[in-house]
Amino acid sequence: MTWASWTTTGVFAGRGGVLTEEAGVLSGDLTVHTTWSGQEANVAVQYSGGSDWFTVTGSPVHCSSEEDSRLLHQEVVDAVRGDAAATVPHSRPHSLPRTMPTDTVLSEEEPG
């Protein structure tokens, strides 16, 4: 099975922070991590430099392709930086952005 993951560090939450299942609203300097496997994407956040991960409300979400999961990750990063309480969006865009932000690390493996 193919999978991919993305991590963006140094995401400063906007006024509304990000809503999580385990801890409610988180704010401040956060790290956003998205893992895609098959037809599902899981999105989590942690305080940058922390050790505990928290599930972003709305995760996991159906995501039919690796490309869509990459877009999902960026949507969540942008939402966290916004003014409303960020959650994982339900609708999926259908194309990749032309450039990948430089603060995002791409990991891609095919487990053997």
Side-chain angles (χ1 to χ4, degrees):
M1 175 186 289
T2 301
W3 66 273
S5 67
W6 293 272
T7 301
T8 304
T9 60
V11 180
F12 291 91
R15 186 180 338 212
V18 58
L19 187 57
T20 69
E21 294 298 317
E22 300 86 358
V25 176
L26 299 184
S27 60
D29 183 5
L30 304 173
T31 296
V32 179
H33 181 76
T34 302
T35 302
W36 174 77
S37 179
Q39 298 290 310
E40 187 173 83
N42 291 281
V43 184
V45 294
Q46 72 176 182
Y47 287 107
S48 291
S51 59
D52 295 324
W53 287 97
F54 303 96
T55 305
V56 177
T57 298
S59 180
V61 64
H62 175 78
C63 201
S64 60
S65 73
E66 182 178 338
E67 291 176 333
D68 283 352
S69 68
R70 172 64 187 96
L71 284 175
L72 170 71
H73 176 79
Q74 189 59 48
E75 284 182 61
V76 173
V77 168
D78 293 343
V80 170
R81 290 178 174 146
D83 287 334
T87 61
V88 175
H90 293 287
S91 62
R92 299 284 21 92
H94 299 290
S95 63
L96 279 173
R98 292 187 187 273
T99 60
M100 185 176 292
T102 58
D103 60 349
T104 299
V105 177
L106 170 63
S107 302
E108 195 171 322
E109 291 186 17
E110 190 165 319

